[in-house]
Amino acid sequence: MWQEPWLSEIDGDSVVVSKSLPQFACFFQRRSRFESADTLRLDYIIRNDGDEPFKYIYSAHPLLYGSEHTRFELPQEMTEAFVYVALNVPVLADKTWIEWPQPEATTLNGPYSGDRESVAKLFSGRLSEGRAAVRHLDVGEAIVIDFDTSALPY
């Protein structure tokens, strides 16, 4: 899906990108607009165009720059995480549940460096609060992601 061209259009104050996926009989759309000077809202639609139920997992995993000043913020109710995959993170093993936050939290929450070349894809258990953030302490900026836990509970 991400390696192919998408349709794009301006719709009022929004940029809308979409992609039909006939091999899966579904349609994907993302609408982006600024709600305020410092808030970018992203709304998604995944439509099933087939006759059979379409099971999917949508994982919002933006590729963001991290430095020694970068920190993750996750819901306090998150007491464990499922490690789907981890590369160059010796304290994590693929396909395992771990305590969260980890006792060695500084190895997972920062500091970050491009020299580490590490990746960790983690999933939470069911959440009641749908919020996560990536903060850059050196410039006082953050990306805060809010999501509806009735639609995306994990």
Side-chain angles (χ1 to χ4, degrees), residues 44-116:
Y44 295 89
I45 293 173
I46 300 174
R47 184 182 70 223
N48 181 359
D49 293 331
D51 298 327
E52 299 294 322
F54 180 71
K55 293 182 180 180
Y56 68 91
I57 294 175
Y58 181 75
S59 176
H61 55 90
L63 300 176
L64 302 172
Y65 171 78
S67 74
E68 64 273 11
H69 305 288
T70 306
R71 299 294 178 268
F72 286 124
E73 294 175 8
L74 299 169
Q76 287 188 342
E77 70 182 292
M78 191 172 154
T79 59
E80 61 181 4
F82 181 74
V83 179
Y84 182 75
V85 66
L87 303 171
N88 297 325
V89 185
V91 297
L92 299 181
D94 292 358
K95 311 292 189 288
T96 59
W97 283 94
I98 61 169
E99 177 186 351
W100 191 268
Q102 285 277 278
E104 308 87 12
T106 57
T107 63
L108 298 176
N109 193 36
Y112 295 99
S113 165
D115 297 336
R116 286 176 57 181

Side-chain angles (χ1 to χ4, degrees), residues 132-149:
V134 178
R135 293 205 182 274
H136 298 280
L137 304 176
D138 56 334
V139 294
E141 293 183 351
I143 288 184
V144 179
I145 301 170
D146 290 306
F147 55 94
D148 180 355
T149 57

